[in-house]
Amino acid sequence: MDTELIKHYAFELHWHLPEEIQQVAIDWLITNTPRDQLALIFPPYGKSCWQNAMKVIEAIGYPHNETAFPRIVELFQDINWPGANEAVLYFQTLDKPVVVPYIEAAGKQAIAECDWEWLYFLYMVCERLLMERADFKQMVVFDAMKDCYDKDA
């Protein structure tokens, strides 16, 4: 599959385009995007496309969409970004053991990057997903998220 074609349709997810164009892009991406290239439907500088990208991810369904999960947790760098709330709502439909490793990996990345705001938002996501310290293999990641949250709360 031509990655440029996937990127083209990903940018047609833009919320300012006519709804018909957005829907064609959603339908095309659901049907044609190779499952190992799902991260491409979240253009790095395309916040206006992310909400519709989550529609594609949801429609594809778990486990076929799991390759997009590392990109989805990046939406939690700011819970106010388009698509972030939809991502939380989608993750609520999945079992915790499926989601926790991705939240934990994002937390480890946020710690490595000293991204305290991302840790803060990740903890908010954990609360909404009813995740607790005991759900994590590396509990220090959960502790770091909670510490950032508690300092700001």
Tab-separated table of all heavy atoms in Angstrom, residues 34-92:
chain	number	residue	atom	x	y	z
A	34	PRO	N	-3.530	-0.824	5.674
A	34	PRO	CA	-2.939	-2.026	6.279
A	34	PRO	C	-2.826	-1.829	7.787
A	34	PRO	O	-2.487	-0.736	8.263
A	34	PRO	CB	-1.560	-2.127	5.623
A	34	PRO	CG	-1.685	-1.340	4.354
A	34	PRO	CD	-2.661	-0.243	4.668
A	35	ARG	N	-3.129	-2.857	8.525
A	35	ARG	CA	-3.194	-2.740	9.982
A	35	ARG	C	-1.862	-2.330	10.611
A	35	ARG	O	-1.837	-1.714	11.659
A	35	ARG	CB	-3.714	-4.038	10.605
A	35	ARG	CG	-5.130	-4.430	10.127
A	35	ARG	CD	-6.063	-3.241	10.100
A	35	ARG	NE	-7.416	-3.581	9.662
A	35	ARG	CZ	-8.115	-2.857	8.819
A	35	ARG	NH1	-7.633	-1.772	8.281
A	35	ARG	NH2	-9.340	-3.211	8.490
A	36	ASP	N	-0.754	-2.620	9.935
A	36	ASP	CA	0.541	-2.220	10.476
A	36	ASP	C	0.889	-0.769	10.145
A	36	ASP	O	1.924	-0.259	10.562
A	36	ASP	CB	1.657	-3.152	9.980
A	36	ASP	CG	1.860	-3.099	8.477
A	36	ASP	OD1	0.935	-2.661	7.753
A	36	ASP	OD2	2.947	-3.485	8.021
A	37	GLN	N	-0.001	-0.067	9.435
A	37	GLN	CA	0.242	1.329	9.076
A	37	GLN	C	-0.821	2.274	9.643
A	37	GLN	O	-0.938	3.419	9.214
A	37	GLN	CB	0.315	1.468	7.552
A	37	GLN	CG	1.503	0.734	6.956
A	37	GLN	CD	1.599	0.935	5.455
A	37	GLN	OE1	1.085	1.897	4.901
A	37	GLN	NE2	2.274	0.018	4.788
A	38	LEU	N	-1.571	1.809	10.617
A	38	LEU	CA	-2.653	2.628	11.170
A	38	LEU	C	-2.163	3.917	11.819
A	38	LEU	O	-2.897	4.909	11.853
A	38	LEU	CB	-3.471	1.809	12.176
A	38	LEU	CG	-4.396	0.771	11.562
A	38	LEU	CD1	-5.013	-0.099	12.648
A	38	LEU	CD2	-5.479	1.435	10.727
A	39	ALA	N	-0.954	3.932	12.322
A	39	ALA	CA	-0.439	5.159	12.945
A	39	ALA	C	-0.386	6.314	11.948
A	39	ALA	O	-0.453	7.484	12.344
A	39	ALA	CB	0.938	4.911	13.543
A	40	LEU	N	-0.317	6.012	10.664
A	40	LEU	CA	-0.245	7.052	9.637
A	40	LEU	C	-1.518	7.893	9.557
A	40	LEU	O	-1.491	8.999	9.013
A	40	LEU	CB	0.021	6.430	8.266
A	40	LEU	CG	1.378	5.784	8.054
A	40	LEU	CD1	1.431	5.096	6.696
A	40	LEU	CD2	2.490	6.818	8.171
A	41	ILE	N	-2.613	7.396	10.084
A	41	ILE	CA	-3.858	8.167	9.973
A	41	ILE	C	-3.948	9.267	11.022
A	41	ILE	O	-4.911	10.028	11.045
A	41	ILE	CB	-5.117	7.271	10.002
A	41	ILE	CG1	-5.331	6.644	11.372
A	41	ILE	CG2	-5.051	6.227	8.908
A	41	ILE	CD1	-6.672	5.964	11.505
A	42	PHE	N	-2.920	9.374	11.868
A	42	PHE	CA	-2.816	10.465	12.841
A	42	PHE	C	-1.675	11.382	12.403
A	42	PHE	O	-0.562	11.268	12.903
A	42	PHE	CB	-2.522	9.924	14.245
A	42	PHE	CG	-3.637	9.132	14.846
A	42	PHE	CD1	-3.703	7.761	14.684
A	42	PHE	CD2	-4.622	9.761	15.589
A	42	PHE	CE1	-4.727	7.023	15.241
A	42	PHE	CE2	-5.652	9.028	16.161
A	42	PHE	CZ	-5.710	7.660	15.983
A	43	PRO	N	-1.926	12.299	11.449
A	43	PRO	CA	-0.839	13.167	11.000
A	43	PRO	C	-0.264	13.948	12.174
A	43	PRO	O	-1.013	14.510	12.979
A	43	PRO	CB	-1.515	14.115	10.012
A	43	PRO	CG	-2.832	13.510	9.690
A	43	PRO	CD	-3.199	12.618	10.830
A	44	PRO	N	1.071	13.992	12.304
A	44	PRO	CA	1.687	14.665	13.459
A	44	PRO	C	1.241	16.115	13.628
A	44	PRO	O	1.101	16.587	14.733
A	44	PRO	CB	3.181	14.587	13.178
A	44	PRO	CG	3.349	13.528	12.159
A	44	PRO	CD	2.054	13.415	11.415
A	45	TYR	N	1.031	16.807	12.527
A	45	TYR	CA	0.620	18.207	12.614
A	45	TYR	C	-0.814	18.378	12.145
A	45	TYR	O	-1.174	19.420	11.613
A	45	TYR	CB	1.577	19.088	11.796
A	45	TYR	CG	2.987	18.959	12.289
A	45	TYR	CD1	3.920	18.213	11.586
A	45	TYR	CD2	3.371	19.531	13.493
A	45	TYR	CE1	5.217	18.060	12.046
A	45	TYR	CE2	4.660	19.371	13.978
A	45	TYR	CZ	5.575	18.648	13.248
A	45	TYR	OH	6.844	18.502	13.722
A	46	GLY	N	-1.631	17.358	12.372
A	46	GLY	CA	-2.999	17.376	11.886
A	46	GLY	C	-4.026	17.192	12.984
A	46	GLY	O	-4.886	16.328	12.872
A	47	LYS	N	-3.939	18.009	14.028
A	47	LYS	CA	-4.893	17.875	15.134
A	47	LYS	C	-6.340	17.881	14.651
A	47	LYS	O	-7.186	17.217	15.231
A	47	LYS	CB	-4.695	18.996	16.158
A	47	LYS	CG	-3.463	18.863	16.988
A	47	LYS	CD	-3.381	19.982	18.015
A	47	LYS	CE	-2.075	19.917	18.761
A	47	LYS	NZ	-1.962	20.996	19.744
A	48	SER	N	-6.588	18.613	13.594
A	48	SER	CA	-7.950	18.710	13.082
A	48	SER	C	-8.424	17.413	12.418
A	48	SER	O	-9.577	17.305	12.033
A	48	SER	CB	-8.053	19.865	12.085
A	48	SER	OG	-7.064	19.705	11.082
A	49	CYS	N	-7.541	16.434	12.322
A	49	CYS	CA	-7.879	15.131	11.724
A	49	CYS	C	-8.024	14.029	12.776
A	49	CYS	O	-8.574	12.965	12.492
A	49	CYS	CB	-6.797	14.717	10.724
A	49	CYS	SG	-6.525	15.901	9.401
A	50	TRP	N	-7.524	14.261	13.967
A	50	TRP	CA	-7.413	13.191	14.961
A	50	TRP	C	-8.749	12.651	15.447
A	50	TRP	O	-8.878	11.464	15.740
A	50	TRP	CB	-6.566	13.643	16.139
A	50	TRP	CG	-5.139	13.945	15.777
A	50	TRP	CD1	-4.479	13.596	14.628
A	50	TRP	CD2	-4.199	14.657	16.562
A	50	TRP	NE1	-3.197	14.047	14.653
A	50	TRP	CE2	-2.988	14.708	15.831
A	50	TRP	CE3	-4.250	15.262	17.806
A	50	TRP	CZ2	-1.846	15.327	16.314
A	50	TRP	CZ3	-3.110	15.891	18.290
A	50	TRP	CH2	-1.923	15.908	17.550
A	51	GLN	N	-9.740	13.507	15.564
A	51	GLN	CA	-11.050	13.044	16.038
A	51	GLN	C	-11.646	12.034	15.049
A	51	GLN	O	-12.153	10.982	15.459
A	51	GLN	CB	-11.975	14.238	16.221
A	51	GLN	CG	-13.162	13.956	17.086
A	51	GLN	CD	-13.853	15.249	17.501
A	51	GLN	OE1	-13.533	16.332	17.021
A	51	GLN	NE2	-14.794	15.121	18.400
A	52	ASN	N	-11.547	12.324	13.773
A	52	ASN	CA	-12.024	11.382	12.767
A	52	ASN	C	-11.125	10.150	12.683
A	52	ASN	O	-11.611	9.058	12.382
A	52	ASN	CB	-12.133	12.053	11.391
A	52	ASN	CG	-13.419	12.838	11.240
A	52	ASN	OD1	-14.445	12.490	11.819
A	52	ASN	ND2	-13.366	13.902	10.458
A	53	ALA	N	-9.844	10.321	12.942
A	53	ALA	CA	-8.940	9.165	12.957
A	53	ALA	C	-9.393	8.168	14.021
A	53	ALA	O	-9.343	6.947	13.803
A	53	ALA	CB	-7.503	9.607	13.205
A	54	MET	N	-9.875	8.668	15.146
A	54	MET	CA	-10.387	7.773	16.187
A	54	MET	C	-11.630	7.027	15.712
A	54	MET	O	-11.838	5.872	16.096
A	54	MET	CB	-10.675	8.532	17.482
A	54	MET	CG	-9.439	8.823	18.320
A	54	MET	SD	-8.436	7.356	18.702
A	54	MET	CE	-9.625	6.273	19.484
A	55	LYS	N	-12.428	7.639	14.849
A	55	LYS	CA	-13.582	6.926	14.290
A	55	LYS	C	-13.118	5.728	13.469
A	55	LYS	O	-13.729	4.659	13.515
A	55	LYS	CB	-14.426	7.866	13.418
A	55	LYS	CG	-15.170	8.925	14.192
A	55	LYS	CD	-15.961	9.827	13.260
A	55	LYS	CE	-16.648	10.935	14.037
A	55	LYS	NZ	-17.365	11.855	13.131
A	56	VAL	N	-12.033	5.917	12.719
A	56	VAL	CA	-11.473	4.828	11.921
A	56	VAL	C	-10.987	3.713	12.838
A	56	VAL	O	-11.305	2.537	12.632
A	56	VAL	CB	-10.326	5.339	11.019
A	56	VAL	CG1	-9.623	4.186	10.310
A	56	VAL	CG2	-10.838	6.372	10.018
A	57	ILE	N	-10.244	4.088	13.865
A	57	ILE	CA	-9.681	3.100	14.802
A	57	ILE	C	-10.804	2.309	15.474
A	57	ILE	O	-10.734	1.078	15.573
A	57	ILE	CB	-8.801	3.800	15.867
A	57	ILE	CG1	-7.578	4.453	15.204
A	57	ILE	CG2	-8.387	2.844	16.965
A	57	ILE	CD1	-6.693	3.510	14.427
A	58	GLU	N	-11.823	3.004	15.936
A	58	GLU	CA	-12.945	2.320	16.586
A	58	GLU	C	-13.646	1.366	15.627
A	58	GLU	O	-14.007	0.253	16.004
A	58	GLU	CB	-13.944	3.341	17.128
A	58	GLU	CG	-13.429	4.108	18.327
A	58	GLU	CD	-14.443	5.107	18.828
A	58	GLU	OE1	-15.544	4.664	19.238
A	58	GLU	OE2	-14.147	6.319	18.802
A	59	ALA	N	-13.855	1.811	14.394
A	59	ALA	CA	-14.557	0.978	13.419
A	59	ALA	C	-13.760	-0.284	13.074
A	59	ALA	O	-14.342	-1.347	12.866
A	59	ALA	CB	-14.853	1.777	12.152
A	60	ILE	N	-12.464	-0.169	13.027
A	60	ILE	CA	-11.624	-1.333	12.729
A	60	ILE	C	-11.699	-2.330	13.874
A	60	ILE	O	-11.795	-3.529	13.663
A	60	ILE	CB	-10.180	-0.911	12.426
A	60	ILE	CG1	-10.142	-0.177	11.082
A	60	ILE	CG2	-9.230	-2.111	12.428
A	60	ILE	CD1	-8.833	0.494	10.760
A	61	GLY	N	-11.699	-1.825	15.097
A	61	GLY	CA	-11.887	-2.671	16.270
A	61	GLY	C	-10.649	-3.433	16.718
A	61	GLY	O	-9.732	-3.679	15.949
A	62	TYR	N	-10.699	-3.762	18.001
A	62	TYR	CA	-9.627	-4.532	18.626
A	62	TYR	C	-9.810	-6.009	18.277
A	62	TYR	O	-10.945	-6.481	18.256
A	62	TYR	CB	-9.670	-4.332	20.151
A	62	TYR	CG	-8.624	-5.118	20.885
A	62	TYR	CD1	-7.324	-4.661	20.921
A	62	TYR	CD2	-8.930	-6.332	21.488
A	62	TYR	CE1	-6.349	-5.399	21.564
A	62	TYR	CE2	-7.960	-7.066	22.129
A	62	TYR	CZ	-6.667	-6.593	22.163
A	62	TYR	OH	-5.692	-7.322	22.795
A	63	PRO	N	-8.781	-6.743	17.988
A	63	PRO	CA	-7.341	-6.479	18.095
A	63	PRO	C	-6.717	-5.958	16.801
A	63	PRO	O	-5.524	-5.667	16.777
A	63	PRO	CB	-6.768	-7.843	18.434
A	63	PRO	CG	-7.644	-8.803	17.696
A	63	PRO	CD	-9.036	-8.182	17.754
A	64	HIS	N	-7.511	-5.783	15.757
A	64	HIS	CA	-6.960	-5.385	14.456
A	64	HIS	C	-6.363	-3.978	14.472
A	64	HIS	O	-5.538	-3.653	13.622
A	64	HIS	CB	-8.036	-5.486	13.381
A	64	HIS	CG	-8.683	-6.831	13.345
A	64	HIS	ND1	-8.043	-7.963	12.901
A	64	HIS	CD2	-9.919	-7.236	13.743
A	64	HIS	CE1	-8.844	-9.003	13.007
A	64	HIS	NE2	-9.994	-8.590	13.526
A	65	ASN	N	-6.776	-3.151	15.418
A	65	ASN	CA	-6.314	-1.768	15.478
A	65	ASN	C	-5.201	-1.539	16.498
A	65	ASN	O	-4.762	-0.417	16.693
A	65	ASN	CB	-7.485	-0.841	15.788
A	65	ASN	CG	-8.134	-1.150	17.124
A	65	ASN	OD1	-7.658	-1.965	17.907
A	65	ASN	ND2	-9.258	-0.498	17.387
A	66	GLU	N	-4.726	-2.588	17.115
A	66	GLU	CA	-3.770	-2.432	18.224
A	66	GLU	C	-2.473	-1.757	17.805
A	66	GLU	O	-1.824	-1.092	18.625
A	66	GLU	CB	-3.489	-3.787	18.880
A	66	GLU	CG	-2.751	-3.661	20.194
A	66	GLU	CD	-2.650	-4.964	20.959
A	66	GLU	OE1	-3.042	-6.026	20.435
A	66	GLU	OE2	-2.186	-4.919	22.113
A	67	THR	N	-2.087	-1.875	16.548
A	67	THR	CA	-0.847	-1.223	16.120
A	67	THR	C	-0.923	0.294	16.225
A	67	THR	O	0.109	0.971	16.227
A	67	THR	CB	-0.478	-1.613	14.674
A	67	THR	OG1	-1.540	-1.221	13.805
A	67	THR	CG2	-0.203	-3.108	14.566
A	68	ALA	N	-2.120	0.856	16.333
A	68	ALA	CA	-2.282	2.303	16.475
A	68	ALA	C	-2.213	2.758	17.928
A	68	ALA	O	-2.104	3.958	18.184
A	68	ALA	CB	-3.610	2.747	15.871
A	69	PHE	N	-2.253	1.852	18.877
A	69	PHE	CA	-2.316	2.240	20.293
A	69	PHE	C	-1.140	3.104	20.747
A	69	PHE	O	-1.348	4.060	21.506
A	69	PHE	CB	-2.464	1.021	21.194
A	69	PHE	CG	-3.823	0.367	21.127
A	69	PHE	CD1	-4.774	0.723	20.187
A	69	PHE	CD2	-4.159	-0.639	22.016
A	69	PHE	CE1	-6.025	0.109	20.123
A	69	PHE	CE2	-5.400	-1.257	21.978
A	69	PHE	CZ	-6.330	-0.877	21.023
A	70	PRO	N	0.097	2.829	20.312
A	70	PRO	CA	1.185	3.729	20.728
A	70	PRO	C	0.964	5.174	20.260
A	70	PRO	O	1.289	6.116	20.978
A	70	PRO	CB	2.431	3.123	20.063
A	70	PRO	CG	2.095	1.682	19.905
A	70	PRO	CD	0.616	1.661	19.587
A	71	ARG	N	0.387	5.334	19.098
A	71	ARG	CA	0.099	6.677	18.603
A	71	ARG	C	-1.090	7.292	19.344
A	71	ARG	O	-1.114	8.484	19.630
A	71	ARG	CB	-0.185	6.619	17.091
A	71	ARG	CG	-0.430	7.954	16.458
A	71	ARG	CD	0.823	8.832	16.460
A	71	ARG	NE	0.523	10.124	15.851
A	71	ARG	CZ	0.357	11.247	16.546
A	71	ARG	NH1	0.497	11.269	17.838
A	71	ARG	NH2	0.081	12.371	15.924
A	72	ILE	N	-2.060	6.460	19.680
A	72	ILE	CA	-3.241	6.960	20.398
A	72	ILE	C	-2.854	7.524	21.763
A	72	ILE	O	-3.337	8.579	22.156
A	72	ILE	CB	-4.306	5.850	20.528
A	72	ILE	CG1	-4.913	5.546	19.157
A	72	ILE	CG2	-5.395	6.251	21.520
A	72	ILE	CD1	-5.806	4.326	19.128
A	73	VAL	N	-1.976	6.846	22.492
A	73	VAL	CA	-1.620	7.354	23.820
A	73	VAL	C	-0.847	8.665	23.740
A	73	VAL	O	-0.802	9.409	24.717
A	73	VAL	CB	-0.860	6.314	24.682
A	73	VAL	CG1	-1.745	5.124	25.006
A	73	VAL	CG2	0.434	5.876	24.038
A	74	GLU	N	-0.303	8.976	22.566
A	74	GLU	CA	0.338	10.279	22.391
A	74	GLU	C	-0.695	11.405	22.420
A	74	GLU	O	-0.361	12.542	22.739
A	74	GLU	CB	1.134	10.321	21.093
A	74	GLU	CG	2.373	9.451	21.130
A	74	GLU	CD	3.142	9.450	19.820
A	74	GLU	OE1	2.793	10.238	18.904
A	74	GLU	OE2	4.087	8.649	19.709
A	75	LEU	N	-1.942	11.088	22.111
A	75	LEU	CA	-3.001	12.096	22.202
A	75	LEU	C	-3.177	12.578	23.635
A	75	LEU	O	-3.690	13.671	23.870
A	75	LEU	CB	-4.331	11.526	21.695
A	75	LEU	CG	-4.413	11.129	20.233
A	75	LEU	CD1	-5.785	10.530	19.937
A	75	LEU	CD2	-4.135	12.297	19.325
A	76	PHE	N	-2.752	11.762	24.584
A	76	PHE	CA	-2.905	12.121	25.987
A	76	PHE	C	-1.830	13.095	26.466
A	76	PHE	O	-1.783	13.434	27.644
A	76	PHE	CB	-2.920	10.863	26.867
A	76	PHE	CG	-3.997	9.881	26.490
A	76	PHE	CD1	-3.766	8.525	26.584
A	76	PHE	CD2	-5.231	10.304	26.036
A	76	PHE	CE1	-4.747	7.603	26.246
A	76	PHE	CE2	-6.225	9.392	25.679
A	76	PHE	CZ	-5.976	8.042	25.787
A	77	GLN	N	-0.979	13.576	25.547
A	77	GLN	CA	-0.029	14.622	25.920
A	77	GLN	C	-0.785	15.879	26.326
A	77	GLN	O	-0.280	16.699	27.076
A	77	GLN	CB	0.946	14.906	24.783
A	77	GLN	CG	1.920	13.770	24.577
A	77	GLN	CD	2.832	13.989	23.388
A	77	GLN	OE1	2.717	14.975	22.660
A	77	GLN	NE2	3.741	13.059	23.173
A	78	ASP	N	-1.990	16.001	25.817
A	78	ASP	CA	-2.898	17.059	26.243
A	78	ASP	C	-4.317	16.514	26.085
A	78	ASP	O	-4.786	16.326	24.962
A	78	ASP	CB	-2.711	18.317	25.404
A	78	ASP	CG	-3.521	19.495	25.939
A	78	ASP	OD1	-4.598	19.266	26.568
A	78	ASP	OD2	-3.107	20.641	25.744
A	79	ILE	N	-4.970	16.252	27.179
A	79	ILE	CA	-6.292	15.621	27.168
A	79	ILE	C	-7.320	16.486	26.445
A	79	ILE	O	-8.398	16.011	26.082
A	79	ILE	CB	-6.737	15.261	28.609
A	79	ILE	CG1	-7.835	14.198	28.593
A	79	ILE	CG2	-7.174	16.498	29.365
A	79	ILE	CD1	-7.378	12.853	28.167
A	80	ASN	N	-6.969	17.751	26.192
A	80	ASN	CA	-7.880	18.658	25.488
A	80	ASN	C	-7.719	18.593	23.976
A	80	ASN	O	-8.477	19.242	23.259
A	80	ASN	CB	-7.655	20.092	25.978
A	80	ASN	CG	-7.898	20.204	27.465
A	80	ASN	OD1	-8.962	19.857	27.950
A	80	ASN	ND2	-6.896	20.645	28.201
A	81	TRP	N	-6.738	17.844	23.486
A	81	TRP	CA	-6.543	17.734	22.046
A	81	TRP	C	-7.706	16.994	21.403
A	81	TRP	O	-8.305	16.093	22.017
A	81	TRP	CB	-5.248	16.991	21.746
A	81	TRP	CG	-4.004	17.806	21.879
A	81	TRP	CD1	-3.915	19.163	22.034
A	81	TRP	CD2	-2.667	17.307	21.855
A	81	TRP	NE1	-2.588	19.525	22.113
A	81	TRP	CE2	-1.806	18.408	22.007
A	81	TRP	CE3	-2.113	16.034	21.735
A	81	TRP	CZ2	-0.426	18.280	22.020
A	81	TRP	CZ3	-0.741	15.912	21.747
A	81	TRP	CH2	0.098	17.023	21.881
A	82	PRO	N	-8.014	17.325	20.166
A	82	PRO	CA	-9.056	16.582	19.452
A	82	PRO	C	-8.714	15.092	19.400
A	82	PRO	O	-7.566	14.714	19.157
A	82	PRO	CB	-9.019	17.189	18.043
A	82	PRO	CG	-8.369	18.523	18.214
A	82	PRO	CD	-7.411	18.375	19.346
A	83	GLY	N	-9.701	14.286	19.646
A	83	GLY	CA	-9.511	12.833	19.603
A	83	GLY	C	-9.123	12.219	20.933
A	83	GLY	O	-9.301	11.021	21.135
A	84	ALA	N	-8.594	13.016	21.861
A	84	ALA	CA	-8.130	12.457	23.141
A	84	ALA	C	-9.300	11.902	23.951
A	84	ALA	O	-9.221	10.795	24.488
A	84	ALA	CB	-7.365	13.502	23.948
A	85	ASN	N	-10.375	12.651	24.041
A	85	ASN	CA	-11.530	12.163	24.794
A	85	ASN	C	-12.113	10.917	24.139
A	85	ASN	O	-12.488	9.959	24.817
A	85	ASN	CB	-12.604	13.247	24.928
A	85	ASN	CG	-13.705	12.820	25.864
A	85	ASN	OD1	-13.460	12.491	27.022
A	85	ASN	ND2	-14.925	12.807	25.372
A	86	GLU	N	-12.178	10.913	22.811
A	86	GLU	CA	-12.672	9.746	22.094
A	86	GLU	C	-11.773	8.532	22.351
A	86	GLU	O	-12.260	7.403	22.457
A	86	GLU	CB	-12.749	10.030	20.586
A	86	GLU	CG	-13.859	10.980	20.203
A	86	GLU	CD	-13.552	12.461	20.452
A	86	GLU	OE1	-12.409	12.804	20.851
A	86	GLU	OE2	-14.457	13.279	20.258
A	87	ALA	N	-10.470	8.787	22.456
A	87	ALA	CA	-9.525	7.699	22.743
A	87	ALA	C	-9.775	7.120	24.132
A	87	ALA	O	-9.770	5.897	24.312
A	87	ALA	CB	-8.089	8.195	22.621
A	88	VAL	N	-10.016	7.987	25.105
A	88	VAL	CA	-10.315	7.496	26.458
A	88	VAL	C	-11.599	6.672	26.435
A	88	VAL	O	-11.650	5.567	26.996
A	88	VAL	CB	-10.439	8.656	27.477
A	88	VAL	CG1	-10.922	8.143	28.826
A	88	VAL	CG2	-9.119	9.387	27.635
A	89	LEU	N	-12.620	7.198	25.790
A	89	LEU	CA	-13.893	6.476	25.723
A	89	LEU	C	-13.721	5.124	25.032
A	89	LEU	O	-14.305	4.124	25.455
A	89	LEU	CB	-14.948	7.312	25.001
A	89	LEU	CG	-15.386	8.589	25.717
A	89	LEU	CD1	-16.299	9.430	24.822
A	89	LEU	CD2	-16.058	8.274	27.044
A	90	TYR	N	-12.910	5.080	23.992
A	90	TYR	CA	-12.662	3.806	23.315
A	90	TYR	C	-11.897	2.858	24.233
A	90	TYR	O	-12.258	1.683	24.350
A	90	TYR	CB	-11.903	4.011	22.002
A	90	TYR	CG	-11.584	2.700	21.353
A	90	TYR	CD1	-12.605	1.886	20.884
A	90	TYR	CD2	-10.279	2.240	21.258
A	90	TYR	CE1	-12.341	0.644	20.325
A	90	TYR	CE2	-10.002	1.005	20.697
A	90	TYR	CZ	-11.033	0.210	20.235
A	90	TYR	OH	-10.759	-1.026	19.697
A	91	PHE	N	-10.863	3.349	24.884
A	91	PHE	CA	-10.083	2.491	25.796
A	91	PHE	C	-10.944	1.952	26.938
A	91	PHE	O	-10.686	0.871	27.455
A	91	PHE	CB	-8.873	3.241	26.341
A	91	PHE	CG	-7.675	3.261	25.416
A	91	PHE	CD1	-6.566	4.013	25.752
A	91	PHE	CD2	-7.640	2.542	24.230
A	91	PHE	CE1	-5.441	4.032	24.930
A	91	PHE	CE2	-6.527	2.563	23.396
A	91	PHE	CZ	-5.422	3.315	23.751
A	92	GLN	N	-11.992	2.689	27.320
A	92	GLN	CA	-12.897	2.206	28.369
A	92	GLN	C	-13.636	0.942	27.934
A	92	GLN	O	-14.100	0.185	28.775
A	92	GLN	CB	-13.908	3.293	28.761
A	92	GLN	CG	-13.319	4.397	29.594
A	92	GLN	CD	-14.306	5.526	29.876
A	92	GLN	OE1	-15.254	5.756	29.132
A	92	GLN	NE2	-14.055	6.248	30.955
